Amino acid sequence: MATRTQEPGLAASTVTDPTTGAALAGRRRRITPGRVINYVLLVIVGLIFLIPLYWLLTAALKPSAEIYSWPLTFIPRSLELGNFVQAWSSAPFGRYLVNSAIITLGGAALKLVLAVLTAYAFAYLPFPGKKVLFLLMLGALMVPGHVTLLINFITVGRLGLVNSYLGIILPGVASAFGTFLLRQHFLTLPGEVLEAAELDGAGHVRRLISFVVPMARPAVITVALLALIDEWNGFIWPLIATNSDEMRTLTIGLLFLKANEGVDNWGAIMAGTIFVVTPMLVLFLIARRYIVSGLAGASISR
């Protein structure tokens, strides 16, 4: 019978000696004060984020009298589903939902395509002033978006795009952060694959579509998710660029819902907030596994 020989030393002892293996497993499971502190901090941070969401959900299901009752009730005594009906009927949320969907999908798609193309150019294409342009793009990350509101409104007004989908979408299609994130991730991709594709006669478009984007899928999905959330949560610019209820979005609808219902009917207001929060929350839960890998891949570049 053939026997497997093992190298002498520590490696062999850790494999064959059950006592050593048990000791290593015990050390891995040992609870240290530092680990306890980390877990406690994680629980505290998690509660900071989860308690407002829980209160939002429970308030949307409570009657108005119970919301104002003291002591506070963390579990609704009775479910008031009429808050959702009242919120939906108090403002044209159906139209707001359609507008938000069109603006979010259209704006995020354009933002993603532009970010991918620009990042590919910064990562692989030689052209004059490349470093200067990249530094200028990084400088754009430091500029608050509100600084450009007036200039964008004047430009959109002169183009006759006020109160239109294009007027809402076009000023935000350039994403400096998305371009930076994708460029950093592209630089970590294996150059041998792209060199082999180039030797096979693949042009830049084919290399981008067939090789770069599939290999950088986590980063691309991360940028797409961030673009969707950014477009969906937009408030200031859609409010400025529209002047009729027909073009309002869900986030603006919450403002009108609060104005219509006042501060006395927080149940309906919270129910309307559920309409706004739920789609992005579900999307985040679906795509969350790509976020860490996408952001981690962009942290190392040549």
Side-chain angles (χ1 to χ4, degrees):
M1 179 182 297
T3 59
R4 187 181 63 179
T5 60
Q6 296 179 345
E7 293 294 332
L10 179 62
S13 63
T14 55
V15 174
T16 59
D17 190 354
T19 305
T20 306
L24 291 175
R27 283 199 296 270
R28 285 194 296 266
R29 293 193 296 265
R30 184 178 300 168
I31 299 177
T32 61
R35 182 171 296 179
V36 172
I37 293 174
N38 289 337
Y39 286 145
V40 171
L41 291 177
L42 287 175
V43 171
I44 293 174
V45 173
L47 290 176
I48 291 175
F49 285 95
L50 291 178
I51 288 178
L53 289 177
Y54 177 78
W55 187 256
L56 170 66
L57 178 61
T58 56
L61 296 173
K62 291 179 181 179
S64 297
E66 187 176 350
I67 294 176
Y68 289 98
S69 64
W70 186 263
L72 299 176
T73 57
F74 290 93
I75 299 177
R77 299 190 186 97
S78 61
L79 298 181
E80 184 60 54
L81 298 179
N83 289 333
F84 293 92
V85 177
Q86 186 173 0
W88 189 268
S89 59
S90 298
F93 270 99
R95 183 62 189 179
Y96 295 159
L97 179 61
V98 172
N99 293 337
S100 291
I102 294 174
I103 293 169
T104 299
L105 295 177
L110 290 176
K111 187 177 292 187
L112 179 62
V113 171
L114 186 59
V116 168
L117 294 176
T118 309
Y120 181 87
F122 277 124
Y124 300 115
L125 300 183
F127 56 88
K130 178 178 178 179
K131 293 184 179 180
V132 175
L133 290 175
F134 184 71
L135 291 176
L136 290 175
M137 186 198 69
L138 292 181
L141 293 173
M142 315 297 177
V143 179
H146 297 78
V147 174
T148 59
L149 285 177
L150 179 59
I151 300 300
N152 286 337
F153 183 76
I154 293 174
T155 304
V156 169
R158 290 179 177 177
L159 293 175
L161 298 178
V162 175
N163 205 47
S164 66
Y165 292 128
L166 287 178
I168 300 174
I169 293 173
L170 289 181
V173 294
S175 174
F177 177 75
T179 301
F180 170 75
L181 185 69
L182 289 175
R183 183 258 186 189
Q184 297 300 102
H185 195 90
F186 288 171
L187 291 177
T188 65
L189 301 179
E192 297 80 4
V193 176
L194 299 180
E195 291 174 2
E198 185 178 3
L199 292 176
D200 287 341
H204 289 296
V205 175
R206 183 183 171 189
R207 272 180 274 172
L208 174 63
I209 297 176
S210 301
F211 298 96
V212 175
V213 171
M215 289 189 296
R217 185 174 62 176
V220 173
I221 293 177
T222 300
V223 173
L225 179 62
L226 294 177
L228 287 170
I229 294 175
D230 185 46
E231 294 293 330
W232 182 268
N233 292 335
F235 176 77
I236 297 296
W237 177 246
L239 179 63
I240 295 175
T242 58
N243 52 30
S244 67
D245 281 343
E246 293 297 319
M247 294 301 301
R248 303 293 190 187
T249 58
L250 276 176
T251 52
I252 302 175
L254 286 179
L255 179 65
F256 286 94
L257 177 63
K258 185 176 183 299
N260 292 335
E261 295 298 325
V263 296
D264 295 330
N265 193 356
W266 280 107
I269 296 174
M270 294 301 177
T273 307
I274 293 292
F275 296 147
V276 180
V277 172
T278 301
M280 291 299 104
L281 183 61
V282 172
L283 180 64
F284 174 80
L285 293 176
I286 294 174
R288 69 186 186 279
R289 65 190 183 95
Y290 293 101
I291 296 177
V292 175
S293 58
L295 294 176
S299 62
I300 303 174
S301 63
R302 295 196 298 266

